[in-house]
C-alpha cells in the first residue's frame, strides 16, 4: 500500500474501526489505559479519525442527508442487501477473516441466544447494512467512526478531540456554543449527527421497526452519548427511554465477533422469515 493510498483510505478494512472501539472499551483493560491508547494506536487509525473529525462539518452532513435521503439509489430486500454488503472484499485482509454476512449473523445469533425480542435479533442482523455506502465510493471517514452531534460544540469526550481544531466549523461561532443551532433538550431526533452507516440505515428502515430498534441503529456508534454520557443537554424524555435499549444492544455489537463461522445456509430460512415479519420484499435504499 502506498503512502498516498494510506492517506486516502487509512484503515486496512472497515472492521479495523470496529476492532479499535472494542479494544478501547475492553472490560479487561485497566481504567487508566483509556487515555493511553493514542500512543499505541496504529497510525492509520489515527489518520482515519483525523480525516473524520476535520471533514464531518454541519454542511457536509446536511449535504449527505439530502443526497441519500431521497432513497432512490437502489431497491433491495434485506437479504439481498446482506449479500450486496458481502461483496465488500478487503484485499489486505487475511483470508481467514469472516465475511460481512457472517459477522451480521454472529451478532444476531448472540442476541437470539440471549432471549431478546425478535425485533432486536433482526436489528443485530441488519445494523451494519449502511456500510453499503462504501460500495458507492464513500470514503471510510464518511461510513464508519464514532458518531457525534454537529452544529454545536464538540464534547471533549469524543475520541481524539484535538483533531476538531482543524474542522472548518471550529471557526463558526454559532456552532461552538453548548447548544449550537439547537434548542436545549430538543431531542436527538432533531440533532444532526456525523454522517455514516448508522444515520443512513436509520433512514432506510425507520418506517418498519419499533422506535427502540431505530434508536439502536441510529445511535449504535454514538459512543459520546451512550457510553460517555455527553450531550444530555440535547436529549429529551424520548431519548431517555431509548438510551437503555441502545446500551443493551452495545455489548452484542462490540463483543460477539468470534472466529467460529456461522452456517449461513442453515440459518437463512429462520432469518428470511424474521425479515418478512417486519419488512416488505423490497426497500428503497
Ligand atoms: Fe456499526
Amino acid at each position: 500500500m502506498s503512502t498516498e493510498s494510506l492517506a486516502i483510505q487509512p484503515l486496512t478494512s472497515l472492521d479495523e474501526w470496529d476492532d479499535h472501539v472494542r479494544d478501547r472499551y475492553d472490560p479487561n483493560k485497566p481504567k487508566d489505559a483509556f487515555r493511553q491508547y493514542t500512543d499505541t494506536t496504529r497510525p492509520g487509525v489515527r489518520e482515519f479519525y483525523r480525516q473524520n473529525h476535520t471533514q464531518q462539518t454541519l454542511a457536509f452532513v446536511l449535504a449527505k442527508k439530502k443526497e441519500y435521503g431521497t432513497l432512490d439509489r437502489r431497491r433491495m430486500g434485506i437479504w439481498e442487501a446482506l449479500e450486496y454488503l458481502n461483496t465488500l472484499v478487503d484485499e489486505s485482509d487475511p483470508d481467514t477473516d469472516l465475511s460481512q454476512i457472517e459477522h451480521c449473523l454472529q451478532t444476531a445469533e448472540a442476541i437470539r441466544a440471549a432471549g431478546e425480542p425478535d425485533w432486536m435479533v433482526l436489528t443485530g442482523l441488519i445494523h451494519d447494512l449502511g456500510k453499503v455506502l462504501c460500495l458507492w465510493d464513500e470514503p471510510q471517514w464518511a461510513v464508519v467512526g464514532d458518531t457525534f452531534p454537529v452544529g454545536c460544540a464538540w464534547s471533549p469526550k469524543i475520541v481524539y478531540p484535538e483533531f476538531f481544531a482543524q474542522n472548518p466549523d471550529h471557526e463558526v461561532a454559532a456552532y461552538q456554543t453548548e447548544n449550537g443551532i439547537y434548542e436545549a433538550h430538543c431531542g436527538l431526533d432533531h440533532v444532526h449527527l456525523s454522517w455514516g452507516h448508522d444515520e443512513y440505515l436509520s433512514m432506510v428502515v425507520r418506517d418498519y421497526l419499533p422506535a427502540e430498534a431505530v434508536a439502536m441503529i441510529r445511535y449504535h456508534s454514538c459512543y459520546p452519548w451512550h457510553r460517555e454520557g455527553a450531550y444530555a443537554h440535547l436529549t429529551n424524555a424520548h431519548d431517555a427511554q431509548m438510551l437503555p435499549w441502545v446500551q443493551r444492544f452495545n455489548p452484542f455489537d462490540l463483543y460477539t465477533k468470534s472466529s467460529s463461522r456461522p452456517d449461513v445456509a442453515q440459518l437463512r430460512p429462520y432469518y428470511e422469515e424474521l425479515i418478512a415479519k417486519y419488512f416488505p420484499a423490497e426497500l428503497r435504499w
Side-chain angles (χ1 to χ4, degrees):
M1 183 185 276
S2 70
T3 317
E4 196 182 337
S5 67
L6 174 79
I8 296 166
Q9 295 287 40
L11 303 177
T12 53
S13 75
L14 285 188
D15 291 340
E16 193 177 8
W17 168 72
D18 296 276
D19 295 343
H20 176 74
V21 176
R22 181 167 49 252
D23 185 50
R24 190 196 314 156
Y25 292 116
D26 180 351
N28 299 317
K29 207 168 178 175
K31 278 236 172 354
D32 62 350
F34 180 73
R35 291 290 157 201
Q36 292 168 16
Y37 66 88
T38 47
D39 302 326
T40 55
T41 301
R42 210 182 65 79
V45 174
R46 269 183 66 86
E47 170 61 11
F48 163 77
Y49 278 112
R50 190 195 64 77
Q51 292 182 8
N52 177 280
H53 289 9
T54 55
Q55 295 175 94
Q56 290 274 358
T57 60
L58 175 63
F60 174 78
V61 169
L62 293 177
K64 284 295 162 190
K65 287 173 96 162
K66 193 172 171 197
E67 179 185 350
Y68 283 98
T70 54
L71 300 181
D72 59 1
R73 300 208 144 224
R74 211 177 160 111
R75 286 175 184 262
M76 290 188 284
I78 293 290
W79 194 270
E80 192 185 348
L82 283 161
E83 289 179 333
Y84 184 51
L85 181 65
N86 222 27
T87 65
L88 182 66
V89 181
D90 199 304
E91 286 163 14
S92 55
D93 256 7
D95 296 335
T96 52
D97 266 12
L98 296 189
S99 66
Q100 295 291 329
I101 205 165
E102 287 165 334
H103 280 319
C104 296
L105 282 167
Q106 278 187 334
T107 306
E109 281 293 282
I111 295 170
R112 186 181 171 196
E116 296 287 9
D118 69 351
W119 53 262
M120 189 167 160
V121 177
L122 182 57
T123 301
L125 181 74
I126 68 170
H127 76 285
D128 272 345
L129 280 181
K131 289 179 180 175
V132 295
L133 285 171
C134 240
L135 296 165
W136 299 328
D137 294 330
E138 292 294 339
Q140 291 168 341
W141 62 264
V143 179
V144 294
D146 305 48
T147 62
F148 49 84
V150 294
C152 60
W154 299 289
S155 166
K157 292 182 173 171
I158 302 169
V159 64
Y160 290 113
E162 62 272 24
F163 289 138
F164 288 119
Q166 302 301 318
N167 183 306
D169 285 357
H170 190 261
E171 309 310 318
V172 183
Y175 303 166
Q176 292 306 314
T177 63
E178 190 178 42
N179 293 328
I181 62 169
Y182 310 107
E183 299 285 329
H185 298 293
C186 62
L188 294 178
D189 279 346
H190 302 286
V191 171
H192 300 291
L193 301 177
S194 54
W195 175 255
H197 71 287
D198 317 60
E199 184 76 65
Y200 174 55
L201 186 69
S202 77
M203 290 172 158
V204 173
V205 302
R206 69 174 31 137
D207 293 341
Y208 306 109
L209 295 176
E212 291 83 354
V214 177
M216 288 171 182
I217 289 164
R218 185 169 188 241
Y219 305 121
H220 78 270
S221 309
C222 195
Y223 286 90
W225 177 54
H226 72 69
R227 191 77 179 225
E228 304 293 335
Y231 296 104
H233 54 283
L234 296 177
T235 62
N236 63 10
H238 176 71
D239 299 320
Q241 284 182 336
M242 295 300 110
L243 180 58
W245 286 99
V246 176
Q247 292 171 333
R248 186 158 160 172
F249 180 76
N250 186 242
F252 296 107
D253 185 22
L254 280 184
Y255 305 124
T256 52
K257 282 186 182 177
S258 71
S259 54
S260 73
R261 200 172 279 278
D263 185 337
V264 179
Q266 187 246 317
L267 292 169
R268 182 168 174 167
Y270 166 80
Y271 283 100
E272 290 275 29
E273 198 173 315
L274 181 57
I275 289 164
K277 181 176 170 184
Y278 288 92
F279 289 111
E282 261 190 4
L283 288 90
R284 290 160 48 95
W285 295 78

